[in-house]
Amino acid sequence: RKEVEQDPGPFNVPEGATVAFNCTYSNSASQSFFWYRQDCRKEPKLLMSVYSSGNEDGRFTAQLNRASQYISLLIRDSKLSDSATYLCVVIQGAQKLVFGQGTRLTINP
Amino acid sequence: EAGVVQSPRYKIIEKKQPVAFWCNPISGHNTLYWYLQNLGQGPELLIRYENEEAVDDSQLPKDRFSAERLKGVDSTLKIQPAELGDSAVYLCASGKGGTDTQYFGPGTRLTVL
């Protein structure tokens, strides 16, 4: 079983729709969680951190469920510019970052 | 503020040839990472440096890969000899350590023929 698992997609949704991704992790001792965004042929960039209490940044909401060992990302009122690959990142012991495979999202006009 | 700089951006070599990638992290970032990213996959850590010390190189294939960060700033990743399966994007990232945000460079896209 992979340490961090994501549905690779692709997800194709119409502009304005709400879309959600989940990411599961296997190590219950994982400490910190992030979502990164990666555009085609570009480097990954931090989108947002994920806290136990959940956090929101504009149209984006991230949540953590430690009991079930998953994190989620919700995008409301999706824009064409949201088209990208979304990478789930989990920090395990000794500051080891583990990336998921990424979920590819395409927003259609 | 300048970001993480990597060179070259693209490299095409024949198998069995050596290749080297260079990374200059963001000023003040003592932690430097090298990742490998295959198409359709997330980045996989190869090595992590804290200043000039390699603190995690467990995923580095040491028979052909080597890395150095002699003065705790710039870093070089080398492959010798390259194999067809090494074709990938090699990403460098830097940060202040711990759970601090990592900032990625644009990567070096390697093609081994």
Side-chain angles (χ1 to χ4, degrees):
Chain A
R1 182 184 172 188
K2 290 183 180 178
E3 294 177 277
V4 179
E5 292 200 66
Q6 294 183 253
D7 181 344
F11 285 63
N12 291 284
V13 301
E15 190 176 9
T18 295
V19 61
F21 318 127
N22 278 348
C23 164
T24 59
Y25 59 94
S26 60
N27 188 335
S28 60
S30 298
Q31 304 161 346
S32 302
F33 310 86
F34 305 89
W35 284 102
Y36 274 69
R37 170 191 170 132
Q38 187 171 26
D39 292 299
C40 187
R41 302 180 78 87
K42 298 287 188 180
E43 70 272 22
K45 293 184 179 179
L46 179 67
L47 179 65
M48 60 198 306
S49 303
V50 188
Y51 305 119
S52 297
S53 56
N55 53 308
E56 187 173 313
D57 183 3
R59 298 180 294 107
F60 297 80
T61 300
Q63 292 194 313
L64 166 65
N65 185 318
R66 285 192 183 273
S68 300
Q69 294 182 202
Y70 75 85
I71 68 173
S72 63
L73 178 67
L74 180 78
I75 306 175
R76 290 182 298 277
D77 187 23
S78 53
K79 312 292 185 189
L80 296 178
S81 58
D82 294 334
S83 297
T85 295
Y86 291 84
L87 297 160
C88 168
V89 182
V90 174
I91 296 185
Q92 300 175 351
Q95 303 165 28
K96 178 185 175 184
L97 267 78
V98 181
F99 283 78
Q101 178 182 5
T103 296
R104 202 169 85 211
L105 172 66
T106 300
I107 306 299
N108 301 308
Chain B
E1 179 183 276
V4 176
V5 179
Q6 290 188 247
S7 69
R9 293 292 310 277
Y10 304 91
K11 188 74 176 178
I12 301 174
I13 61 172
E14 294 188 345
K15 63 181 180 181
K16 300 185 182 179
Q17 294 301 305
V19 64
F21 314 125
W22 175 80
C23 173
N24 180 244
I26 293 172
S27 177
H29 284 185
N30 60 312
T31 305
L32 183 147
Y33 311 78
W34 282 103
Y35 289 90
L36 175 156
Q37 187 173 26
N38 286 304
L39 187 65
Q41 301 295 317
E44 298 172 33
L45 181 68
L46 290 172
I47 189 168
R48 174 168 65 94
Y49 283 94
E50 296 289 343
N51 300 304
E52 63 273 9
E53 182 182 358
V55 295
D56 184 357
D57 64 355
S58 57
Q59 305 279 62
L60 189 72
K62 298 181 182 64
D63 56 336
R64 297 184 301 108
F65 286 64
S66 64
E68 60 183 16
R69 193 185 185 199
L70 294 176
K71 296 183 179 179
V73 180
D74 295 2
S75 178
T76 302
L77 178 69
K78 298 179 181 177
I79 308 175
Q80 182 170 9
E83 296 179 352
L84 295 176
D86 295 332
S87 295
V89 176
Y90 291 83
L91 293 161
C92 178
S94 72
K96 296 181 180 177
T99 58
D100 189 64
T101 302
Q102 291 190 20
Y103 297 86
F104 284 82
T108 297
R109 187 174 298 273
L110 174 67
T111 301
V112 182
L113 303 175

